[in-house]
């Protein structure tokens, strides 16, 4: 082995022994650095003749290339090993199940509420919204239920220790019925000119009121079927020629659609409400399912009392119609087979997730 072969093989083993890029660069300096072995050999050539320089120089160059290619190969090998290590450390197991986000859904009351709006909407009813903190006039007096009227005791509520500008005490509304007055009064104002001037040819000039008003209501009541906060929806249909027959068709169709039961039957049971005369409870009977054959009370209703029509700013000699009020929670309980109302308001996801 000549001196050049020795240098090449010791460079190869020095490079192989280097286990990091820094060690490799140190090893390189021993051979190719300023005072590295090959560099020193080049310097030594100064003393040689021109002929000797040619052959010796060519041989040193060949050795230098061999050392450089060993260096490049080792650099690449170290870089590959480093990348390999990194890939292993950061490896993802794509076969692992992902961490899922909890899936939300609508609350059963919201589902029932949406369904009610949608069904009445399809029958041409507007949807109105009103305040939950109501004054005494709208909640009671305008509905023909003046102070000291015995019917007030049926709806004990929470009073707010404050009066409005007209000295009316505020309370949490006990039902959605005040929306009858609010909506009809606004309607009467809007169409005042048409109310005064009858249309030609005796045709109806009054744009009918057809509205439902769903929302929260409050009473001092709490057990398996009563909650101090609950939900109702009010219905009102007023015109010049609206009758109990319209109420029956409307409400029966609503119930059949809401409960998806075409064989469902309905009955009116005489009752009393200050704001309607005559008044009726509405009972329904399912034709199928676990409750089939039982009469279930689902709403109060009646022909709107003339005093109430007058309090709306309308003429009871001309305008007639009906109203109804029903519990959204009660309808949701019947539709989804829930027997304790409190489940709706406890926020237990084990219960709620069943409605997704
Ligand atoms: N507001 C009544 C209640 O909460 C329900 C009711 C009965 C509403 C008869 C009406 C109606 O509109 O005509 O008990």
């Amino acid at each position: 082995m000549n001196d050049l072969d020795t240098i090449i093989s010791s460079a190869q083993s020095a490079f192989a022994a280097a286990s990091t890029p820094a060690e490799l660069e140190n090893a390189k300096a021993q051979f190719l650095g300023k005072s590295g072995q090959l560099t020193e050999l080049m310097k030594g050539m100064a003393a040689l003749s021109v002929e000797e320089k040619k052959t010796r120089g060519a041989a040193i160059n060949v050795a230098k290339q061999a050392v450089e290619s060993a260096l490049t190969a080792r650099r690449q090998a170290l870089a590959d090993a480093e990348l390999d290590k990194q890939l292993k450390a950061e490896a993802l197991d794509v076969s692992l199940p992902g961490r899922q986000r909890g899936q939300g859904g609508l609350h059963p009351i919201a589902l029932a509420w949406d369904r009610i709006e949608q069904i009445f909407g399809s029958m041409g009813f507007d949807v109105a919204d009103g305040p939950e903190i109501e004054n005494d006039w709208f909640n009671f007096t305008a509905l023909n239920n003046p102070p000291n009227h015995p019917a007030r005791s049926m709806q004990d509520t929470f009073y707010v220790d404050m009066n409005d500008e007209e000295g009316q005490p505020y309370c949490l509304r006990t039902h959605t019925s005040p929306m009858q007055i609010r909506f009809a009064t606004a309607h009467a104002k809007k169409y005042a000119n048409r109310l005064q001037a009858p249309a030609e040819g005796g045709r109806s000039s009054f744009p009918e009121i057809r509205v439902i008003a769903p929302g929260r209501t409050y009473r001092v009541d709490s057990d398996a079927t009563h909650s101090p906060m609950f939900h109702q929806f009010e219905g009102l249909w007023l015109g010049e020629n609206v009758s109990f027959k319209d109420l029956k068709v409307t409400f029966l169709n609503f119930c059949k659609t809401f409960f998806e039961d075409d064989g469902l039957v309905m009955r009116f049971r005489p009752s009393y409400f200050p704001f309607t005369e005559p008044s009726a409870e509405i009972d329904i009977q399912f034709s199928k399912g676990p409750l089939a054959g039982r009469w279930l009370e689902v709403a109060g209703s009646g022909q709107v009392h003339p005093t109430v029509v007058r309090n709306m700013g309308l003429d009871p000699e001309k305008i007639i119609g009906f109203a109804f009020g029903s519990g959204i929670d009660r309808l949701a309980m019947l539709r989804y087979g829930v027997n304790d109302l409190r489940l709706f308001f406890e926020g237990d996801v084990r219960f709620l997730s069943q409605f997704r």
Side-chain angles (χ1 to χ4, degrees), residues 4-68:
L4 289 173
D5 289 338
T6 312
I7 290 177
I8 292 171
S9 76
S10 63
Q12 282 168 341
S13 45
F15 294 162
S19 58
T20 66
E23 280 172 29
L24 183 60
E25 295 314 308
N26 280 337
K28 170 197 162 186
Q30 286 173 39
F31 303 94
L32 302 168
K34 267 194 187 135
S35 46
Q37 295 182 30
L38 283 170
T39 322
E40 290 300 324
L41 287 183
M42 294 288 247
K43 287 181 195 161
M45 286 205 320
L48 301 180
S49 70
V50 176
E51 257 329 284
E52 281 169 328
K53 268 184 188 160
K54 258 193 192 164
T55 46
R56 183 65 176 161
I60 295 178
N61 263 335
V62 170
K64 198 176 163 193
Q65 274 164 20
V67 171
E68 274 169 351

Side-chain angles (χ1 to χ4, degrees), residues 107-108 342-355:
H107 191 280
R342 290 169 292 200
L343 285 167
F344 284 140
F345 307 121
E346 281 167 359
D348 186 333
V349 284
R350 289 169 304 175
F351 171 72
L352 297 174
S353 61
Q354 298 176 60
F355 300 91

Side-chain angles (χ1 to χ4, degrees), residues 154-156 174 217-232 297 327 329-330 333 339-346:
M154 284 157 54
Q155 299 190 354
D156 194 8
T174 58
T217 48
Y218 302 84
R219 281 185 212 175
V220 183
D221 237 345
S222 187
D223 59 38
T225 52
H226 296 90
S227 148
M229 187 283 300
F230 58 107
H231 301 84
Q232 284 194 336
E297 183 185 317
D329 322 81
R330 169 120 175 103
M333 284 170 83
N339 53 20
D340 191 330
L341 175 69
R342 290 169 292 200
L343 285 167
F344 284 140
F345 307 121
E346 281 167 359

Side-chain angles (χ1 to χ4, degrees), residues 184 187-188 191 194-196 204-210 236-243 277 303-322:
H187 186 91
Y191 296 110
R194 295 220 225 164
L195 284 170
Q196 276 143 22
S204 171
S205 61
F206 179 68
E208 284 190 351
I209 293 174
R210 217 183 290 177
L236 179 67
W237 186 346
L238 288 178
E240 289 175 32
N241 194 15
V242 181
S243 75
E277 181 57 38
Q303 183 174 306
V304 181
H305 195 286
T307 301
V308 176
V309 176
R310 203 172 297 115
N311 289 339
M312 292 167 172
L314 296 167
D315 179 0
E317 296 294 328
K318 208 173 148 196
I319 305 299
I320 193 166
F322 62 79

Side-chain angles (χ1 to χ4, degrees), residues 155 175 177 180 219 232 234 273 275-276 300-302 323-325:
Q155 299 190 354
H175 48 181
S177 303
Q180 288 186 34
R219 281 185 212 175
Q232 284 194 336
E234 195 74 11
F273 298 102
F275 33 90
T276 45
S301 68
F324 55 83

